[in-house]
Amino acid sequence: MSVQERKQRERAERERLIVATARELAEQQGWDAVTTRRLAERIEYSQPVLYSHFRGKREIIGAVALQGAAEMAVALRAATAAADGPRARVTALARGYLDFAGRNPAVYDALFQLDGGLAYAQEDTPEPLKDAFAALLECLGEVAGDGVHPALFTEVFWASLHGIATLTRAGRLLPEDGEQRVELLADRLAVL
């Protein structure tokens, strides 16, 4: 291995460590606790080293969001893979989405609540974000209904899931009604 390859590998490893540490700190204490000073202390590098990878917290949030989008796409596809039939897939998708949001609140915030400097729904949207949307579209496109654009239907369904996830997490919805919400969403919104 050349010196250049080793340096590139070490740089990539530092970057992974910064992102993992930011994510861990955000999951434990919230995004307000994630500062370059705290990250530098936790990973035992100087703040200038952090700034050589990310210009600031916004870019770190963006990196966590991209990682989270990739994980969400995998989780959604896994949730729907074994489901038999459109209704079962839609229900599994909704459960998978809400489970992901509930298990990963800081990642979910990085994806959908915080400014990570990422472009959404545009030509220059990063691939992990496009793929997470594609994971939704793959399942929902088949139940959009006649005359309804599949991507538009997916956006509306996704917005409903996002609302449920956000309101549940904020304590605005009763958690014990979660399964009924999923069933209602699948039964009333999707053409099955």
Side-chain angles (χ1 to χ4, degrees):
M1 174 181 301
S2 73
V3 172
Q4 180 69 17
E5 289 171 329
R6 181 181 54 77
K7 285 183 179 186
Q8 287 174 340
R9 189 184 76 231
E10 289 171 355
R11 180 172 176 73
E13 185 55 40
R14 272 193 313 270
E15 195 166 297
R16 280 191 292 276
L17 179 61
I18 293 166
V19 171
T21 304
R23 183 175 174 167
E24 178 183 311
L25 188 57
E27 291 291 1
Q28 291 170 353
Q29 299 176 29
W31 278 104
D32 287 342
V34 179
T35 64
T36 54
R37 175 187 239 170
R38 276 199 177 140
L39 287 174
E41 288 171 4
R42 284 214 176 179
I43 66 171
E44 298 178 348
Y45 283 103
S46 67
Q47 285 181 295
V49 170
L50 265 74
Y51 285 116
S52 74
H53 290 274
F54 300 99
R55 286 183 286 197
K57 183 176 175 176
R58 181 179 186 219
E59 284 189 3
I60 294 170
I61 290 169
V64 170
L66 292 176
Q67 185 181 72
E71 291 171 10
M72 177 182 275
V74 168
L76 295 178
R77 288 184 176 111
T80 59
D84 187 27
R87 186 186 189 290
R89 279 191 291 282
V90 170
T91 302
L93 177 81
R95 283 187 191 125
Y97 184 95
L98 296 171
D99 287 347
F100 181 88
R103 281 191 327 273
N104 303 284
V107 171
Y108 194 80
D109 285 349
L111 272 164
F112 303 119
Q113 305 285 61
L114 301 173
D115 179 9
L118 303 173
Y120 285 78
Q122 298 175 25
E123 286 298 317
D124 61 341
T125 297
E127 282 306 313
L129 298 177
K130 288 179 181 179
D131 191 46
F133 185 77
L136 291 164
L137 181 61
E138 289 162 12
C139 177
L140 296 170
E142 69 180 318
V143 297
D146 292 337
V148 177
H149 192 282
L152 182 61
F153 175 78
T154 299
E155 288 173 349
V156 171
F157 199 96
W158 171 30
S160 299
L161 288 173
H162 176 69
I164 291 169
T166 303
L167 291 170
T168 299
R169 188 165 142 213
R172 304 289 198 282
L173 300 176
L174 296 173
E176 60 268 18
D177 292 337
E179 186 58 30
Q180 286 179 295
R181 282 185 204 96
V182 167
E183 296 292 331
L184 185 61
L185 193 58
D187 286 341
R188 300 287 190 234
L189 204 52
V191 177
L192 303 169

